Amino acid sequence: MPASRSVPARAVNVYESTETETGNSYTSTFHADGRFTNDLGNEGRWTYEDGVLCITVQDTELCNPFEAGEIGESVTTDEWRADGVEITITRIE
C-alpha cells in the first residue's frame, strides 16, 4: 500500500457520521485500495498525504486535515459535507 494512503491504520477503516440537527446517520468505509463507499450509495476515491484527507465522489472533492484516531473517538465538524451540514464523525472500525 502506498505511503500516501496511510491514514487508515488497518486495511479498512469505518466511520459513522451523524448529522447534528437531524440525528440522521450513515456509515462510510475507506478501503485500503483507495476506494470510498458509504451506505447512502456514494462511491469514490480517497487519498491521504501530509495530514490531509481528500475524498472525491463524482465531481466533488473535499480535502481537510484529518487524523484517523482510535475506535470510538469522534470529531464534530461542518467541513466534511459539501452542503455544510454539521456532522459528528465517529470511528467504529
Side-chain angles (χ1 to χ4, degrees):
M1 178 166 55
S4 66
R5 292 200 174 130
S6 63
V7 106
R10 302 175 18 185
V12 174
N13 276 2
V14 181
Y15 294 85
E16 180 178 61
S17 299
T18 304
E19 295 177 359
T20 303
E21 287 187 27
T22 66
N24 294 334
S25 65
Y26 54 92
T27 302
S28 300
T29 304
F30 294 82
H31 303 270
D33 64 1
R35 289 179 303 118
F36 166 84
T37 58
N38 69 26
D39 59 9
L40 297 176
N42 296 316
E43 297 183 10
R45 306 290 301 167
W46 69 269
T47 59
Y48 183 79
E49 192 166 343
D50 297 327
V52 176
L53 176 64
C54 292
I55 302 169
T56 304
V57 176
Q58 296 176 357
D59 293 330
T60 302
E61 180 180 64
L62 294 174
C63 297
N64 288 297
F66 188 78
E67 292 183 33
E70 299 295 324
I71 293 173
E73 289 184 337
S74 298
V75 62
T76 300
T77 180
D78 62 3
E79 296 179 340
W80 280 111
R81 289 272 303 257
D83 57 8
V85 169
E86 184 179 81
I87 57 175
T88 298
I89 302 168
T90 304
R91 183 172 173 197
I92 58 174
E93 284 185 39

